[in-house]
Every structure is written in C-alpha cells, then in structure tokens.
Amino acid sequence: MDTRNKEVEFRDYDKNPIVIKDYAFYDYMKYYTIATLIGCLFFISVVTVVNPIEPKNFRLLPFALVMFFIRRKQQKGVYFVFNDSDIKYYKEDKAYKSLKFEQIGAVAISFDPRWDRQQRISIPEMLFLSLWPLGAYVMRGMHAMIALISMIAISLFGAGILMHLKNGSFRCLGIHDRLVIYGETGDLRIINVLIYSEKEYLELKEYFMRKTHIDLDTVPRTLSVFSKKVKFRKFKF
C-alpha cells in the first residue's frame, strides 16, 4: 500500500474524535468502593483478633459508601474529547478545560488521580498524614499500624487492579493507568485521563503519535503527577 492510500485512511479526529468517559465519575467508583470496603474489613479483622473492639466503634463504616453515591449523581456529561486541534474536558456537556497542542508542555503516565496544581500536598500536610499510622501504633500496637498501612494500600491500589483484571488490561497498564497532559500555560492546566482498557490506550497512543509525535510507551511513569520526572520547557511545579 502506498503513502497516499495510508493518508486517506488516517482518522479525521474532528469528524470522528476520541471520546473517553471520565471514569473517576463512572465505573471506577464501583471498584474503589469495593477496594475500600475490603481494606476496612482487613483492618477490622486484624485489629479485633488481637484486641477486640466494641461493635459501636464501627458505626461510621457505612459512610464509606457516601462518596460513591455522590459521584454517581455527578456523573452526567463528564468526558474527554480528543480533536484534531485540541483536547477538551467536559462537565455537564460543557467544555470545562481545554488544551491546544501548542500549549502542551509535558505528558506522563501516572497512578495519581489529581488534576490541579492546588491539590499538591504540602510538607506539613504530609507530616500530619504520617501521624495516622503512628497514632494506630500508640493506641493499638504494631499490628494496628501494619493493618492501617495495608488498608490504605488496598484502598489506593486495589481499585485499579480490580478494574484492569476484569478488563484484561492489567498486563498492559498495571497501576500506571492515567494519562496526564500538562499545559505549559500560566495556570499550568492539568488534564488527567483515566484509561479504562488496553483498546483505549492503543487508541490514545496512535492519536499522540500522529498529532504530537509523542510515544506514550516512552513518556515518564510516575506515582505522583507532581514528580520531578516530568520536564517542562518553561514552567515548574
């Protein structure tokens, strides 16, 4: 097949754009709820085996489901659209955030769900969060601290693992399943796309190769969207 025929077959992304749900508001919340409940049950089982706790101490456990129902109500019209000239994020079917190709400063594949520079955790906040395992150790012992850390890990990593195991995409994506597109703009816009399946990843990989000559297989893999692995021409975090 000659070059002209290949060009004819190229996808017109204005007429046929890539549209991806914001799965943080859709299916992902189901897996996150399951992982959180598994983590909570693990923590409870470990702690109560060593030192029984009164049932009344678990009365707040059902509130683990509250976020799920809140997100379900907010899920209408939340998606990403990849066109020939830009990338847009929609909420309630209205463009909420957009980036033109010339505004893209960096691209990474991350585990981190954050989408705004203001969500960066400060050092005092990190110190405060680190006190939770220490508090569990002081109040209940080493087993409680290990159980709490395990619960947090299950909640953080379990949702993505469950989702990709079900979709058969874990081998392709693993825990690094978020395409993070950074705008090299004054407000350092961040578009964070949760990739649901291997099919979506391959579709986005082809899109970026054609439109920006960026190979998603070679961009940095990070746990944090604010990682130093992400390099900008002009701006820094």
Side-chain angles (χ1 to χ4, degrees):
M1 184 179 293
D2 61 28
T3 304
R4 287 175 299 175
N5 289 334
K6 287 183 178 180
E7 289 176 352
V8 170
E9 292 179 356
F10 279 179
R11 179 171 176 173
D12 185 333
Y13 291 103
D14 281 335
K15 293 181 179 178
N16 185 22
I18 298 175
V19 180
I20 296 180
K21 293 178 181 178
D22 185 355
Y23 291 105
F25 287 86
Y26 287 87
D27 296 32
Y28 185 79
M29 285 305 300
K30 294 187 293 186
Y31 297 101
Y32 183 77
T33 302
I34 293 171
T36 299
L37 290 175
I38 291 173
C40 290
L41 290 173
F42 175 81
F43 175 77
I44 292 169
S45 63
V46 171
V47 172
T48 54
V49 164
V50 177
N51 190 0
I53 302 175
E54 295 182 16
K56 67 179 182 179
N57 292 328
F58 303 135
R59 58 183 178 272
L60 295 179
L61 185 59
F63 285 96
L65 299 172
V66 170
M67 184 57 71
F68 171 74
F69 291 108
I70 291 174
R71 285 296 182 107
R72 292 288 293 180
K73 289 181 179 180
Q74 295 175 337
Q75 70 179 14
K76 181 181 177 182
V78 186
Y79 52 90
F80 303 90
V81 177
F82 296 79
N83 291 308
D84 263 326
S85 59
D86 60 17
I87 301 164
K88 289 187 172 75
Y89 177 47
Y90 285 80
K91 281 187 177 182
E92 297 182 351
D93 296 316
K94 295 180 180 179
Y96 177 76
K97 191 183 295 186
S98 67
L99 282 175
K100 295 186 179 298
F101 291 131
E102 59 268 24
Q103 294 177 316
I104 295 176
V107 176
I109 301 291
S110 182
F111 162 78
D112 194 341
R114 289 175 289 181
W115 65 90
D116 193 287
R117 182 168 52 172
Q118 295 179 350
Q119 293 174 311
R120 189 174 187 179
I121 299 174
S122 65
I123 293 177
E125 289 172 331
M126 292 182 67
L127 291 174
F128 175 76
L129 292 173
S130 66
L131 292 176
W132 284 87
L134 181 60
Y137 172 75
V138 172
M139 295 175 64
R140 309 291 299 185
M142 179 63 74
H143 66 284
M145 183 181 74
I146 295 173
L148 179 60
I149 293 172
S150 300
M151 180 187 75
I152 294 171
I154 292 170
S155 298
L156 287 176
F157 297 100
I161 292 172
L162 289 172
M163 183 177 71
H164 293 305
L165 285 175
K166 179 180 180 297
N167 294 339
S169 52
F170 185 76
R171 186 174 180 179
C172 169
L173 297 169
I175 63 171
H176 294 99
D177 57 2
R178 293 179 181 269
L179 172 62
V180 188
I181 308 154
Y182 302 87
E184 200 151 38
T185 55
D187 57 353
L188 194 60
R189 266 166 276 170
I190 299 174
I191 294 179
N192 192 326
V193 186
L194 174 60
I195 304 173
Y196 191 70
S197 65
E198 183 176 3
K199 177 178 179 293
E200 286 186 348
Y201 177 78
L202 295 175
E203 201 171 21
L204 289 169
K205 179 182 175 182
E206 181 182 12
Y207 174 85
F208 275 89
M209 282 294 292
R210 288 187 180 178
K211 307 306 295 183
T212 66
H213 304 292
I214 295 172
D215 185 354
L216 296 188
D217 287 344
T218 62
V219 300
R221 263 56 179 173
T222 71
L223 285 180
S224 169
V225 296
F226 304 110
S227 171
K228 292 181 179 179
K229 291 182 180 179
V230 182
K231 303 296 183 181
F232 292 88
R233 295 189 303 273
K234 302 175 184 177
F235 296 98
K236 295 181 179 180
F237 293 118

